[in-house]
Amino acid sequence: MSLINLKPKVTSIIKDSSESTVSRLTKICEVLKDSVAYYDWVGFYFANHEARTLHLQAYAGEATDHTVIPFGKGICGQVAVSNENFVVPDVKAQDNYIACSISVKAEIVVPLFKDGKNIGQIDIDSSTKDPFTKEDEVFLEWMNAEVASIL
């Protein structure tokens, strides 16, 4: 499915105020994972700035041991520090990579801002090497801006 075609689904989930925020985030993860062939694991991490850690709040895909990630560690931890998107075409080429699964070949992490502050991120793993494009980044930036409206 085209990422553009996912916008109405994501918007509908976000606007469903009868569901809790975590439930809506989980549904977004599930829709992305189920709709985009190369999105094999999708999760939202949120920052605890005092402890300098990220905490997994919602995800779709295999369970992970990486529910708390220190700032600076792995791709997610680096995004918590840099406040910039990080696209990894080949995780084997990254020195500071935390392996979540042997099948992961690529990763994209896009920070989530609320009132100008990096409060979290969406993290997507793919078992396909180098699948992410600028279209993925633009879509995920849009989606994170929409998600910020319910946080």
Side-chain angles (χ1 to χ4, degrees):
M1 174 175 279
S2 164
L3 294 173
I4 295 291
N5 293 337
L6 284 174
K7 284 186 173 187
K9 285 185 176 186
V10 170
T11 300
S12 175
I13 293 166
I14 288 170
K15 290 184 176 182
D16 184 4
S17 59
S18 69
E19 296 277 348
S20 71
T21 300
V22 171
S23 175
R24 288 184 269 178
L25 293 174
T26 300
K27 285 182 178 184
I28 289 169
C29 292
E30 291 166 349
V31 163
L32 294 181
K33 182 185 174 296
D34 294 344
S35 301
V36 182
Y38 53 93
Y39 285 14
D40 296 303
W41 189 93
V42 179
F44 283 98
Y45 284 90
F46 287 92
N48 177 329
H49 288 281
E50 292 171 5
R52 297 190 49 79
T53 52
L54 295 164
H55 298 264
L56 184 62
Q57 293 288 316
Y59 71 95
E62 291 184 28
T64 179
D65 292 336
H66 303 278
T67 58
V68 178
I69 299 173
F71 282 19
K73 185 151 176 65
I75 308 307
C76 290
Q78 289 176 75
V79 169
V81 174
S82 73
N83 299 320
E84 296 178 2
N85 299 350
F86 199 154
V87 179
V88 182
D90 180 3
V91 296
K92 289 182 181 176
Q94 286 294 314
D95 293 334
N96 190 7
Y97 172 70
I98 301 172
C100 293
S101 166
I102 194 163
S103 66
V104 176
K105 305 242 184 312
E107 183 173 9
I108 185 171
V109 180
V110 176
L112 195 160
F113 296 96
K114 176 84 175 179
D115 300 325
K117 183 176 184 178
N118 182 349
I119 62 165
Q121 55 200 231
I122 189 162
D123 176 23
I124 300 175
D125 293 339
S126 180
S127 57
T128 303
K129 196 172 181 181
D130 196 15
F132 303 112
T133 67
K134 189 65 177 169
E135 183 184 7
D136 293 285
E137 285 189 77
V138 169
F139 172 76
L140 295 171
E141 288 169 352
W142 168 84
M143 192 193 66
N144 277 356
E146 296 296 306
V147 165
S149 72
I150 62 168
L151 301 174

